Amino acid sequence: MSRETNETPPIEDTPPITGKPSSSAAGATAILSTIKHGITRSGITGSISSLSKVNKFGGFDCPGCAWPDPDDHRTIAEFCENGAKAVADEATNKKITANFFEKYSVVELSLKSDEWLNSQGRLTSPMLLDEGMDNYTPISWKESFELIADELCTLENPNQSIFYTSGRTSNEAAFLWQLLARGFGTNNLPDCSNMCHESSGFALSDSIGIGKGTVKLEDFNSASLILVVGQNPGTNHPRMLTALRDAKKHGASIISINPLIETGMKKFKHPQNPLEMLGSGKSISDRHVRININGDMAFFRGLNHCIVKNHNYDVNFIGEHTSGFEDYKASIENVDWVQIESISGISRQEIESIAKIVSESKSIITCWAMGITQHHNSVETIQEMVNTHLLGGHIGRKGAGLCPVRGHSNVQGDRTVGINHIANPSLIHNIQNSTGIQTPNKHGFDAVNAARAMLEGNAKVYLAMGGNFLSAMSDTKLIAKAMNRCQLTAFISTKLNRNHLVTGKKSLILPCLGRTEVDEQTTGNQFVTVENSMGIVHSSQGHMKPASNELLSEAAIVAGIATAVENRRPMSDLDWNNLVEDYDRIRDIIEQTIPGFNDYNSRVRAKAGFYLPNPPRDDLTFNTQTGKANFRFHNISSLSPEENEYVMMTIRSHDQYNTTVYSGEDRYRGIKSGRRIVMMNPIDVKQSNLRAGDLVNLTSVFQDELRHSPNWYLVEYDIPRGNVATYFPEANELIPLNSTASGSNTPTSKSVIVRVSKSQD
């Protein structure tokens, strides 16, 4: 029988405090916030020690995001406010010991807020929540590995196991993790990519032959136009603002295309520039396009129609490097401007004026994030954006290219080294040659299908390398039921989160070393490697004393599980523990398995690491079925809310990192002390007979399904009419598990139809 634990944070009983959004990002306020967060978490000495090593040559990679560092230098403070918070959060002086779990049952803990759970400190020793028990109790590492091996080896078939991966996992640990899964006999390797940039990888692979971006950081200083689409750099990728500021200094124009005018795209005060700190800041966007939620595909179709109609395209590039242009050209020769204006929320006149700017720009970079990737038509939208670049030849030349901006610090690297539920024949062949592991040919479960399998009883063991699957996924209540139906859930983690409380019949917490900490193995201190958003693989080495003597590295935990499984059911000739003694040995096998990692151990010891091959960027080679970059045409699609219905998107607050909530403050949007809020256009508020501050209920509408979520506070906000915004992960319970993007199967966290009604309580 499952424990009655809360799958969502407790409902707030006081309204938020609202004020004017900030006029500029970063600056003195960001510095003060960084100092306050660092000192309260890890003290003055610990804060200075950890921040002095962030993103430095020979230091550790910031876990805050995947934005790249400069190739040739590092500044005094090569981090942002959010990165500093992530580092301080990991380097906290507070610790969770066995006494903590003796004091609090999982039911009691589930009544606490996510902010409170995270603030309790670092996990320090393995813990077991046994079947029928309400409290975690201590367990040894050996017993933990034996328990996992027992549960795995008693499954009816290997596909009843799930091996989930978070994007903070190092290349070395991720590579071993997928070897363990595939050696055990399954490709069930869902990861956080399935919930964020899967649409980017799917769309780009088909269009240009690689599921990654095609720019380097240095390209920003050569760009004449930068489009920032569906992205909030000020909160989610603050260091990107430096690149945008520098691009403007070099003459670039910047256009922000987003439903909300985010503070980071207004003005930026660089914390290391005294003149900017004292002044009003540097302007970032030259133009804000106030698009409707999910209006991007219609907008770019209108843009491309204008470019083609006016013959403002690169005939030579198209003829030499692309396929499908004539069919695409014929398909968009005539467009329905009423449809485009209605869906996008942008007038024909404005689209035509932006098309003129695009046509006159010699080198264009388009950046995007989850404001683009989490819709039902995300793949189609991204391919329409790619078409814009193909029309102008804005790929494979200086200052131009496509730039999907990843969130997790190594989510791209994990995918590169094999974390993928799709059984790639080339990877399977290489794994067999380098390790002897016989990998199944059947595709595994992605995140959505893993949840369905657990819910239906077809997956019974869930193992997680980091992350918070419960809170990160859509349809929270359904995910909780799925977790409860597992025989065993096991979480490799540094901090406590809600998924540790909503579990299978048995559950393990396996605490691991953090990115900031010394990783000492029998041959000495180790470093790991990561890949950033622009395909640079570089080293990361922690320097802080581990939070506990009982912590193991992620790689060592994988080796412990694998060894225990091998003792019951041999699956390879690998000596897992030998590999972990010296991570160079792991990298040697990666080199033999993954293309582009030749001379891995030598090249990664260079200060800035090395670039992986990127054929479209490097030499205009497109590894598609046609051998060229493909124009793709799709009919414009959109959601169709009825009267008194709205299109809702989930967003992140400023004081938040993925599902980790540091506080209830959203400084840039002028919101404090509240997370259960609905941002709504003032005219919509009035016409709905509601008032700012009202307590409302939300109901999502999908096919014949209704999902209800009570007690949200209404906040008037500058958002296009017919659109509303809510915070992630609180609103995830409103996003149906079956509402996903075509092709990529990514949850539609940025577009779900909702009804808003006044609460009767």
Side-chain angles (χ1 to χ4, degrees), residues 243-264:
L244 295 177
R245 180 205 63 168
D246 292 346
K248 290 208 70 174
K249 286 182 178 179
H250 287 84
S253 294
I254 297 174
I255 298 177
S256 173
I257 303 168
N258 202 53
L260 302 179
I261 298 180
E262 300 288 13
T263 296

Side-chain angles (χ1 to χ4, degrees), residues 504-526:
K505 294 180 176 64
K506 297 179 182 179
S507 187
L508 286 166
I509 293 176
L510 306 175
C512 65
L513 292 170
R515 188 75 61 79
T516 62
E517 293 170 321
V518 172
D519 182 355
E520 184 175 3
Q521 303 298 332
T522 56
T523 61
N525 292 347
Q526 305 296 310

Side-chain angles (χ1 to χ4, degrees), residues 478-550:
L478 213 57
I479 300 300
K481 291 180 181 177
M483 287 286 169
N484 290 158
R485 291 179 182 176
C486 289
Q487 288 295 123
L488 173 70
T489 51
F491 309 97
I492 301 170
S493 307
T494 58
K495 303 287 292 292
L496 185 65
N497 65 53
R498 192 161 296 277
N499 211 161
H500 300 138
L501 315 175
V502 180
T503 70
K505 294 180 176 64
K506 297 179 182 179
S507 187
L508 286 166
I509 293 176
L510 306 175
C512 65
L513 292 170
R515 188 75 61 79
T516 62
E517 293 170 321
V518 172
D519 182 355
E520 184 175 3
Q521 303 298 332
T522 56
T523 61
N525 292 347
Q526 305 296 310
F527 68 86
V528 295
T529 62
V530 295
E531 178 188 347
N532 62 37
S533 270
M534 295 180 186
I536 303 170
V537 178
H538 60 96
S539 65
S540 174
Q541 185 164 22
H543 292 263
M544 302 289 289
K545 181 181 177 181
S548 165
N549 292 331
E550 291 191 64

Side-chain angles (χ1 to χ4, degrees), residues 56 70 244 417 535 623 655 717:
K56 296 293 181 65
L244 295 177
V417 300
N623 295 319
D655 223 10
Y717 204 83

Side-chain angles (χ1 to χ4, degrees), residues 17-51:
I17 300 169
T18 59
K20 286 187 66 175
S22 300
S23 59
S24 63
T29 309
I31 292 176
L32 292 173
S33 175
T34 298
I35 293 171
K36 177 183 175 182
H37 201 89
I39 291 176
T40 55
R41 260 55 171 194
S42 53
I44 296 176
T45 303
S47 184
I48 293 174
S49 177
S50 58
L51 292 179

Side-chain angles (χ1 to χ4, degrees), residues 421-684:
H421 63 282
I422 295 174
N424 181 291
S426 176
L427 178 63
I428 289 173
H429 173 78
N430 290 347
I431 287 174
Q432 183 172 347
N433 284 347
S434 63
T435 68
I437 286 176
Q438 300 287 327
T439 302
N441 294 315
K442 181 182 178 182
H443 290 346
F445 298 139
D446 61 10
V448 169
N449 287 322
R452 288 176 180 149
M454 289 187 282
L455 195 63
E456 295 163 1
N458 295 326
K460 299 180 179 180
V461 173
Y462 170 86
L463 309 178
M465 176 70 79
N468 180 354
F469 190 77
L470 170 76
S471 298
M473 266 295 291
S474 57
D475 220 333
T476 312
K477 287 182 169 58
L478 213 57
I479 300 300
K481 291 180 181 177
M483 287 286 169
N484 290 158
R485 291 179 182 176
C486 289
Q487 288 295 123
L488 173 70
T489 51
F491 309 97
I492 301 170
S493 307
T494 58
K495 303 287 292 292
L496 185 65
N497 65 53
R498 192 161 296 277
N499 211 161
H500 300 138
L501 315 175
V502 180
T503 70
K505 294 180 176 64
K506 297 179 182 179
S507 187
L508 286 166
I509 293 176
L510 306 175
C512 65
L513 292 170
R515 188 75 61 79
T516 62
E517 293 170 321
V518 172
D519 182 355
E520 184 175 3
Q521 303 298 332
T522 56
T523 61
N525 292 347
Q526 305 296 310
F527 68 86
V528 295
T529 62
V530 295
E531 178 188 347
N532 62 37
S533 270
M534 295 180 186
I536 303 170
V537 178
H538 60 96
S539 65
S540 174
Q541 185 164 22
H543 292 263
M544 302 289 289
K545 181 181 177 181
S548 165
N549 292 331
E550 291 191 64
L551 300 182
L552 295 181
S553 71
E554 292 173 322
I557 294 172
V558 181
I561 296 171
T563 300
V565 171
E566 293 264 23
N567 290 337
R568 289 160 177 74
R569 203 187 79 183
M571 53 186 179
S572 74
D573 295 326
L574 292 174
D575 184 338
W576 298 85
N577 291 322
N578 177 266
L579 292 176
V580 173
E581 288 176 0
D582 185 344
Y583 294 176
D584 277 2
R585 298 167 187 168
I586 304 173
R587 288 186 283 270
D588 284 340
I589 302 179
I590 294 176
E591 179 179 342
Q592 298 168 37
T593 310
I594 310 296
F597 284 84
N598 51 297
D599 205 14
Y600 192 2
N601 274 311
S602 175
R603 289 197 295 158
V604 83
R605 283 175 164 82
K607 280 187 175 181
F610 62 92
Y611 282 92
L612 288 172
N614 190 303
R617 180 192 68 202
D618 298 340
D619 55 16
L620 283 174
T621 297
F622 301 97
N623 295 319
T624 64
Q625 288 186 344
T626 63
K628 295 186 176 184
N630 295 313
F631 279 93
R632 293 301 189 204
F633 173 81
H634 307 277
N635 290 322
I636 296 173
S637 60
S638 68
L639 296 177
S640 301
E642 297 181 0
E643 189 176 357
N644 298 321
E645 292 181 344
Y646 303 87
V647 179
M648 183 191 82
M649 65 175 178
T650 64
I651 58 177
R652 212 166 91 177
S653 73
H654 185 66
D655 223 10
Q656 176 181 356
Y657 171 62
N658 295 327
T659 60
T660 301
V661 177
Y662 301 134
S663 80
E665 183 176 352
D666 195 352
R667 187 173 77 241
Y668 290 168
R669 298 191 182 103
I671 298 170
K672 298 180 180 179
S673 304
R675 293 191 56 82
R676 289 186 74 84
I677 65 167
V678 185
M679 299 180 193
M680 194 174 189
N681 185 284
I683 298 175
D684 286 339

Side-chain angles (χ1 to χ4, degrees), residues 694-714:
D694 276 353
L695 198 62
V696 299
N697 298 329
L698 298 180
T699 300
S700 69
V701 182
F702 178 73
Q703 296 174 351
D704 295 328
E705 304 173 9
L706 298 178
R707 282 165 175 74
H708 305 284
S709 185
N711 299 338
W712 294 77
Y713 288 99
L714 197 62

